[in-house]
Amino acid sequence: MSLLQIDEKNALYYEYDPPSGAGGKTFVFINPITGDCSLWQGLIGPALRKAGHGTLVYNFRGQAKSSFDPAIALDDKLITADLMRVIAELKIDAPIVVGLSIGGLYAIRAHAQGLKPSGIVLVNTLRKMSPRIDWMNRMCVRLMQQGGPTLLRDVASHVITSEAMHAAMIDDIFDNPSAYEGLAEDAGFMNLVTHMADTSWEMDLTGLDLPVLVTTGYQDRVFYNPADVDALFAELPQGLRLDIPQAGHMIPAERPKEFILALMGFADIL
């Protein structure tokens, strides 16, 4: 558990474990905007480390334990630069970069700017912007303003996650009413979500000249469009695909065992 100090107001919280086994790879995990390191460290990180692989998890500026200057925009350019910064600082050679949702977009952007991973895993990243997705992105900003991350969870979880996760969450949410508290405009998540809503999703997939594993959850009812995913996947020069019908948007949390096996299998072919 460490901090990469950028300057007196900005720092990245990270947890890094180098490979312990011969031939072990290092997996670098990129959060979604409203996530943090805990998404990867429950089952996924320990399983990969037990197999001899290394892991790096870190939080964006504005996420838990990472400090930021409220005067700066926590946008895609800054987040992509920070991704490259932390990998360079730790001298990780040819990592496997794993991005969930917009985290995958940051991986694509970093590759275009010179990052040289051995492979990329895109988890529910492939999408084309539409009025429906634009609506969701703008709604995230409004919900954060009115009731913070808890309100966003309660309003959106049932349309982006699987039926199994609904069953696991519903009693806790409705039997224990949540206290909603809106975020201040200078809060980290507010800064991140606001600039997420303005992010361009244009991506040059034909330039990804390395193996790319695309994992897709069918029960994501907001971001998953089958025709769009098929069309974008076809642009990848070395695309591999794992579809999980029983999962939604949050595959690492919803189907962690399948996800771990997919990551290990991907590492084996690199």
Side-chain angles (χ1 to χ4, degrees):
M1 301 181 184
S2 305
L3 280 179
L4 171 56
Q5 200 72 40
I6 299 169
D7 57 38
E8 62 181 17
K9 292 185 177 180
N10 295 273
L12 298 174
Y13 172 82
Y14 70 89
E15 300 171 13
Y16 175 49
D17 294 275
S20 61
K25 308 290 197 305
T26 298
F27 289 85
V28 175
F29 294 98
I30 312 174
N31 299 332
I33 287 294
T34 57
D36 60 39
C37 293
S38 63
L39 172 68
W40 313 105
Q41 291 287 58
L43 295 175
I44 296 165
L48 293 173
R49 293 191 290 272
K50 184 177 180 180
H53 296 296
T55 59
L56 168 64
V57 298
Y58 74 102
N59 288 340
F60 304 157
R61 290 189 236 183
Q63 293 182 337
K65 302 179 184 178
S66 288
S67 59
F68 73 104
D69 180 352
I72 65 175
L74 302 181
D75 58 16
D76 59 311
K77 295 181 180 63
L78 180 140
I79 295 171
T80 299
D82 281 350
L83 166 62
M84 300 176 72
R85 184 196 307 270
V86 70
I87 290 173
E89 177 72 19
L90 296 172
K91 297 180 171 60
I92 300 173
D93 183 47
I96 300 172
V97 181
V98 183
L100 171 56
S101 193
I102 200 171
L105 182 65
Y106 303 141
I108 294 168
R109 298 271 167 83
H111 177 269
Q113 294 176 31
L115 183 68
K116 297 190 181 302
S118 59
I120 293 176
V121 182
L122 303 176
V123 187
N124 284 321
T125 295
L126 297 187
R127 70 193 69 163
K128 295 180 180 180
M129 188 52 64
S130 67
R132 183 187 72 255
I133 293 176
D134 186 33
W135 185 302
M136 181 67 171
N137 288 343
R138 296 191 199 190
M139 183 182 74
C140 287
V141 177
R142 185 168 294 181
L143 291 172
M144 285 286 198
Q145 290 169 333
Q146 298 301 316
T150 304
L151 181 59
L152 177 60
R153 178 202 67 185
D154 291 359
V155 170
S157 293
H158 71 294
V159 292
I160 67 170
T161 59
S162 64
E163 295 287 346
M165 183 160 278
H166 303 166
M169 295 173 64
I170 190 169
D171 288 340
D172 182 61
I173 289 175
F174 288 100
D175 292 349
N176 301 286
S178 299
Y180 301 127
E181 183 176 353
L183 295 185
E185 290 300 319
D186 61 353
F189 272 144
M190 197 71 246
N191 193 325
L192 287 164
V193 169
T194 298
H195 290 97
M196 175 195 74
D198 296 330
T199 298
S200 168
W201 279 81
E202 292 297 319
M203 57 184 90
D204 178 16
L205 299 178
T206 63
L208 290 176
D209 55 346
L210 75 169
V212 177
L213 174 62
V214 173
T215 61
T216 303
Y218 287 178
Q219 294 187 38
D220 178 346
R221 296 165 179 83
V222 174
F223 300 104
Y224 173 53
N225 180 302
D228 289 347
V229 172
D230 290 347
L232 291 167
F233 178 79
E235 296 179 11
L236 292 167
Q238 300 181 55
L240 303 165
R241 187 162 175 176
L242 173 65
D243 292 350
I244 306 179
Q246 304 87 353
H249 195 66
M250 303 296 291
I251 291 174
E254 296 174 53
R255 309 292 293 192
K257 293 181 180 178
E258 290 172 59
F259 190 65
I260 290 165
L261 290 175
L263 294 181
M264 290 186 177
F266 189 56
D268 287 343
I269 68 172
L270 298 179

